Amino acid sequence: MKEIERKILITCRQYESICFQLKDLYPSSFLEQTNYYYDSTSYMLFKQNETLRVREQKGKLEAQYKFNKRYVNYERNCDEVSWSVVSLPSTLSAALLGKYNEKYEKSKEIFSILGTLTTERKNFYINNLIFSLDKNFYLGYIDCELEIEGVTEENISFVNAICAELGLENIKPSNKKGKYTRFLSRYFDIQDHYKLQFPLRPKEKL
């Protein structure tokens, strides 16, 4: 499946303002979902701009793999595959990804859970587009973003007009700062802080 979307990081105040502007104008829905992120100890997937996660939504689990990410103007285009899982796996093997990406066909790499990110999402349906307002909770931090799905060359002017009406015309899209990238940035900050607070003691000489 091809996924084309635009992401815009916004403040929590902008999040509330946009919700207020859209709530009485367009059909909407609400959902909550949790992403369990996986990667190797060397962060192989992150370094290759790929994302592997298990998403929990409405009591169901689905593994999702995003790769071949490309950025054209303000939109992100990538390949995404998914498959159902019965229970949350503690690890996932790279061999599973070999079905979709040949570079992993012979890999013995193992991906483990790094942590979770929970999203409260409000979807607004505008023409053939979905404007998703996300409030994300991860590693003791909260951020907000607007994701616009269904962007094409034909409707780009309409999308830009809606963004302008919402007061977002001067905010650059942040497609290269997806949820996993921001999660890892926070993850690394915590790791660095821990190392400063609890430095390893030099080994004692015998």
Side-chain angles (χ1 to χ4, degrees):
M1 179 182 75
K2 295 286 185 182
E3 180 183 61
I4 302 175
E5 63 183 8
R6 178 187 296 191
K7 293 176 179 285
I8 303 173
L9 283 175
I10 57 178
T11 65
C12 289
R13 180 174 294 181
Q14 287 172 315
Y15 172 94
E16 298 298 337
S17 174
I18 294 171
C19 281
F20 181 78
Q21 293 179 71
L22 297 179
K23 66 178 183 178
D24 295 326
L25 296 176
Y26 303 101
S28 64
S29 64
F30 174 83
L31 63 85
E32 182 174 312
Q33 61 192 26
T34 297
N35 291 335
Y36 299 82
Y37 290 116
Y38 292 74
D39 213 327
S40 66
T41 54
S42 62
Y43 309 104
M44 173 192 291
L45 296 172
F46 172 67
K47 292 175 181 176
Q48 299 185 82
N49 199 21
E50 299 176 354
T51 302
L52 178 62
R53 68 194 182 198
V54 170
R55 173 168 288 177
E56 182 177 7
Q57 187 181 112
K58 296 181 180 179
K60 295 182 179 180
L61 297 170
E62 183 179 74
Q64 300 173 338
Y65 171 48
K66 293 186 176 186
F67 59 108
N68 289 338
K69 296 177 183 177
R70 299 171 294 282
Y71 305 92
V72 180
N73 296 325
Y74 292 145
E75 279 62 60
R76 187 189 73 176
N77 191 328
C78 74
D79 293 316
E80 179 178 346
V81 294
S82 60
W83 60 95
S84 297
V85 292
V86 177
S87 59
L88 183 69
S90 57
T91 61
L92 290 169
S93 69
L96 284 172
L97 306 185
K99 300 176 183 178
Y100 317 105
N101 193 333
E102 61 181 13
K103 68 182 177 184
Y104 293 116
E105 287 180 351
K106 298 181 180 180
S107 176
K108 296 182 179 180
E109 196 72 54
I110 297 296
F111 306 121
S112 301
I113 296 178
L114 297 181
T116 64
L117 180 150
T118 296
T119 298
E120 293 178 353
R121 169 169 289 184
K122 295 180 180 179
N123 289 320
F124 294 91
Y125 304 94
I126 306 175
N127 290 359
N128 294 321
L129 298 157
I130 302 177
F131 281 64
S132 299
L133 278 169
D134 289 351
K135 183 175 287 187
N136 307 300
F137 304 81
Y138 57 100
L139 302 175
Y141 189 72
I142 301 174
D143 69 23
C144 299
E145 67 187 319
L146 170 65
E147 291 189 3
I148 307 171
E149 297 184 18
V151 181
T152 65
E153 291 183 1
E154 289 72 25
N155 64 23
I156 190 70
S157 296
F158 177 76
V159 171
N160 290 338
I162 294 292
C163 287
E165 289 180 11
L166 297 175
L168 303 175
E169 68 273 22
N170 295 320
I171 301 179
K172 291 184 178 180
S174 50
N175 286 0
K176 294 184 180 181
K177 295 180 181 178
K179 288 182 175 66
Y180 182 49
T181 299
R182 303 198 309 273
F183 168 88
L184 265 189
S185 178
R186 176 73 174 169
Y187 179 86
F188 291 145
D189 285 346
I190 291 173
Q191 295 294 316
D192 290 341
H193 178 75
Y194 182 84
K195 290 176 183 177
L196 289 173
Q197 294 295 315
F198 305 98
L200 293 176
R201 295 180 180 178
K203 293 182 179 179
E204 296 181 359
K205 293 182 179 180
L206 297 177

